[in-house]
Every structure is written in C-alpha cells, then in structure tokens.
C-alpha cells in the first residue's frame, strides 16, 4: 500500500515456497490492484493462478492486465510494458484471453508498438 510494489515482489522472489510466501503473493496481488500498481498485481495473480487455477485469480489477472493497458493509454506506463503483459495473459486456459490479446495486438499495430 506504500507504492513500493517492486520491493514487495523482490521479497516474494527471495522466499522459499510456503504458506507465508503464498500469503505474501495474495497480499501483493490484491493491495497492488487496489493501489493501481497493476504490473506487479498481474505478476502476482499470474503465479497464484498457476498454483490454483480458480476463476478468482484469472479475474484478478485479467483486471490487472487491462489496468496496465489503461495506464499505457493514459501515458502513465511505458508502451513497451505491453510486451510483458501478453505472456502473462497466455499463461491461462481461459477462452476470454484470445479476445483480450486480439484487442491489445490491434492497438499495438495501430500505434506502431512492436510486440
């Protein structure tokens, strides 16, 4: 909640797999989402979804990825971040992902952003 999402993510990466690391991952995913730190939220939701493919984690990841795109459109996130969003989206079995990826690719093509 203190706008230091990168530091929280780095702390998670240093931890051994445990219930504490899972709890930290949930905290990062949800608090970063609330604070508009969508990049780290998406990364955390991606890991959570791979550990437990429940709809809740897909919905969080989908919302965070769309949030990143909104920040890119608003000029508050580098356009190149889109390159990191697509692999996160592809890490799911949800059929909605194709519609989202298609929209992101079209925008990237129309705005000369190489993916």
């Amino acid at each position: 909640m203190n706008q230091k999402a990168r530091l929280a993510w780095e702390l998670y990466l240093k931890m051994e797999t445990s219930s504490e690391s899972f709890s930290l991952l949930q905290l990062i995913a949800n608090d970063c989402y609330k604070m508009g730190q969508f990049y780290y939220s998406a990364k955390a939701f991606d890991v959570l979804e791979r550990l437990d493919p429940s709809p809740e984690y897909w919905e969080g990841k989908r919302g965070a990825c769309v949030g990143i795109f909104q920040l890119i459109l608003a000029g508050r996130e580098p356009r190149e971040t889109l390159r990191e969003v697509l692999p996160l989206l592809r890490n799911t079995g949800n059929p909605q992902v194709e519609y989202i990826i298609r929209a992101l690719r079209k925008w990237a093509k129309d705005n000369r952003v190489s993916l």
Side-chain angles (χ1 to χ4, degrees), residues 11-96:
L11 177 64
Y12 162 73
L13 293 176
K14 292 177 187 174
M15 293 179 79
E16 299 285 327
T17 302
S18 67
S19 61
E20 283 183 359
S21 67
F22 190 79
S23 294
L24 178 58
L25 204 51
Q26 290 178 311
L27 187 67
I28 291 169
N30 291 305
D31 283 2
C32 286
Y33 194 99
K34 288 176 197 166
M35 298 302 295
Q37 301 279 300
F38 296 117
Y39 177 72
Y40 290 102
S41 177
K43 288 172 73 89
F45 275 122
D46 181 55
V47 174
L48 287 166
E49 184 188 31
R50 284 188 270 148
L51 293 171
D52 175 12
S54 71
E56 171 188 349
Y57 296 135
W58 158 246
E59 291 167 8
K61 181 167 76 170
R62 177 187 64 197
C65 289
V66 171
I68 292 168
F69 186 52
Q70 288 176 324
L71 291 175
I72 291 169
L73 294 176
R76 294 177 36 216
E77 184 77 38
R79 300 166 130 206
E80 294 73 28
T81 307
L82 209 51
R83 287 187 205 119
E84 298 176 47
V85 171
L86 292 178
L88 293 176
L89 286 168
R90 286 190 188 109
N91 279 340
T92 191
N94 193 298
Q96 293 176 343

Side-chain angles (χ1 to χ4, degrees), residues 103-115:
L104 296 178
R105 284 181 174 271
K106 181 180 179 346
W107 180 86
K109 181 181 177 188
D110 292 348
N111 289 275
R112 295 185 178 102
V113 176
S114 65
L115 300 177

